[in-house]
Amino acid sequence: MNPIDRRALLAGAGFAGAGVALTMSGDARAQSGTQGNAAPDTGAPRGADPSARHRIRFGVIGLDHSHIYAMTDALIRGGGTLAAVHAPDARQFAAFARRYGNVKRARSEAEILEDQGIRLVASASIPDLRAPLGIRVMRAGKDFLSDKPGITSLDQLADVRAAIRETRRKFAIMYSERFEVRAAVKAGELVKAGAIGKVVQTVNLAPHRMSPASRPQWFFDTARYGGILTDIGSHQADQFLFYTGSTRADVVASQAGNVGTPEHPRFQDFGDMTVTGDGGTGYIRVDWFTPDGLSTWGDGRLFILGTEGFIELRKYVDVAGRPGGDHLLITDANGSRYIDCSKVPLPFGPQFVSDVVERTEVAQDQAQALLAAELVLKAQAQARPPMLG
């Protein structure tokens, strides 16, 4: 690898992937576009990846967020066959069917839950509806894959944990900023290999573009989406736990509030939190202030500090630098180098389907997934209003 040429980091665009809400009416726009809240601009997978070892049938209930496309794509790559979809909104279903072709539209949720041939249900329903749905899915004898946030209150979290103990089914959460970002996958490989020594701290910056005209009403109501830390912050809490290897963690301090969106007083547009665990510490900042001048929906960055080096991820865009996304910069005792991660495989789909069949936890550790949810729910509950002068 060549050392980083700083001058070479000054010219580029961006590719990305995730907003927070979607009506899914009208024509789908590319997720690599300015809003980041529509279907991906690449075609749907034609079938399973070569690494997929198993085949299962899965259903989808709830199309209220565009993350359902990445979730469905991952399951198809993993060996899943989309058996049925329940979506009361005809426009949502039409957009989904345009991507996935001859999709069976279930007449009710029960039709999917009672189908004994369906082993897994995925959902990107309105956030406060996801945990109750997941519990119904598990009690029907199926595993559940939720969009994030999968849980919007501590009471819901207690109910989910109880249902997992009762049913022995999976309540997985699709933390796509780690599972579906190739640079994040590569960073995990480097950390596991000891490339930067023992991880001491993660710093995660997660700005998003709001595009308010494209958002449904529930997007602006903290009671529906759980608040900014619960929602966006869940991605970052997951990454903190994963890269530090923490199995126990708590919130040191947090703040959240509305500092620049007075027309939506129940909305939160800024938040941050400091966390600590038995594997390291972390700082997380989330916001809805991405300016229209940026070529993609957010300049998401992750910094991983180790005892023998550090890694920086420029996930979706390298501002005024290299084109595209999935950039990784690493510095260690031998110098600094750049790694293009745009071709790194995404293992989550095949691993998760194998977990469903083999009852393993390779794709996602169940306790860690729920601990990430617990962290942001606690941070949200104790958050103070931002002090901005």
Side-chain angles (χ1 to χ4, degrees):
M1 295 289 182
N2 295 325
I4 297 172
D5 181 349
R6 295 296 178 186
R7 294 180 181 177
L9 294 179
L10 299 174
F15 177 82
V20 157
L22 180 63
T23 58
M24 289 189 182
S25 61
D27 294 332
R29 293 184 59 189
Q31 198 167 13
S32 58
T34 59
Q35 292 185 173
N37 58 350
D41 53 1
T42 55
R46 295 187 177 182
D49 284 352
S51 62
R53 302 197 307 270
H54 299 285
R55 301 294 183 267
I56 64 170
R57 296 172 71 242
F58 71 95
V60 169
I61 299 175
L63 305 176
D64 294 288
H65 194 297
S66 65
H67 285 165
I68 195 61
Y69 291 105
M71 295 165 67
T72 302
D73 285 1
L75 293 175
I76 293 172
R77 293 196 309 267
T81 296
L82 179 57
V85 178
H86 177 56
D89 188 316
R91 294 174 302 173
Q92 292 179 348
F93 179 79
F96 193 78
R98 279 198 298 272
R99 180 171 176 79
Y100 296 106
N102 187 24
V103 179
K104 177 184 176 182
R105 187 176 185 185
R107 292 165 294 180
S108 66
E109 173 187 303
E111 184 176 336
I112 293 177
L113 297 188
E114 294 169 4
D115 186 334
Q116 298 302 307
I118 291 177
R119 303 185 62 169
L120 169 73
V121 173
S123 178
S125 55
I126 298 173
D128 64 328
L129 302 179
R130 294 170 188 169
L133 170 62
I135 292 171
R136 295 194 297 274
V137 169
M138 291 189 291
R139 287 179 174 159
K142 307 178 192 306
D143 293 319
F144 183 63
L145 176 63
S146 174
D147 186 15
K148 67 83 215 165
I151 301 165
T152 57
S153 74
L154 289 169
D155 286 342
Q156 284 189 351
L157 177 61
D159 291 342
V160 166
R161 283 175 165 155
I164 291 170
R165 291 192 297 269
E166 169 195 336
T167 65
R168 298 181 179 273
R169 309 310 302 180
K170 295 181 182 295
F171 187 105
I173 302 174
M174 183 62 151
Y175 295 121
S176 57
E177 288 193 24
R178 177 164 65 90
F179 296 138
E180 291 293 302
V181 173
R182 300 174 194 276
V185 173
K186 184 64 176 181
E189 296 172 356
L190 291 169
V191 166
K192 185 177 180 180
I196 58 171
K198 181 186 182 303
V199 173
V200 176
Q201 184 197 45
T202 62
V203 174
N204 215 314
L205 309 179
H208 284 59
R209 177 176 288 125
M210 187 189 304
S211 301
S214 72
R215 307 293 182 173
Q217 285 303 306
W218 63 259
F219 172 80
F220 299 103
D221 186 352
T222 55
R224 303 306 309 271
Y225 72 88
I228 191 168
L229 296 176
T230 297
D231 180 26
I232 304 177
S234 61
H235 282 302
Q236 284 66 51
D238 164 73
Q239 290 167 75
F240 156 72
L241 293 173
F242 177 74
Y243 293 116
T244 64
S246 293
T247 58
R248 291 181 290 108
D250 210 345
V251 179
V252 176
S254 60
Q255 55 182 352
N258 186 322
V259 300
T261 317
E263 65 274 23
H264 296 289
R266 300 188 66 181
F267 184 63
Q268 293 180 339
D269 54 20
F270 175 84
D272 69 357
M273 54 190 286
T274 301
V275 291
T276 185
D278 55 359
T281 66
Y283 173 75
I284 293 163
R285 192 205 79 205
V286 292
D287 68 76
W288 286 100
F289 295 128
T290 294
D292 289 342
L294 190 67
S295 59
T296 189
W297 57 268
D299 181 17
R301 299 201 184 192
L302 170 64
F303 303 84
I304 308 173
L305 173 65
T307 55
E308 298 175 21
F310 56 86
I311 292 170
E312 178 187 349
L313 304 187
R314 301 178 184 180
K315 297 180 182 179
Y316 313 115
V317 61
D318 183 9
V319 178
R322 300 173 190 264
D326 286 303
H327 306 284
L328 187 150
L329 309 170
I330 181 170
T331 300
D332 57 20
N334 297 317
S336 297
R337 61 192 185 277
Y338 167 79
I339 301 176
D340 177 2
C341 301
S342 61
K343 303 299 182 184
V344 171
L346 296 172
F348 176 82
Q351 289 177 349
F352 185 66
V353 170
S354 292
D355 284 347
V356 168
V357 175
E358 300 174 10
R359 311 315 295 166
T360 51
E361 294 186 355
V362 176
Q364 181 174 76
D365 179 272
Q366 179 70 91
Q368 187 180 82
L370 297 185
L371 180 56
E374 180 180 339
L375 273 180
V376 293
L377 290 169
K378 287 181 174 179
Q380 191 73 54
Q382 70 184 52
R384 300 176 60 179
M387 301 294 289
L388 299 178

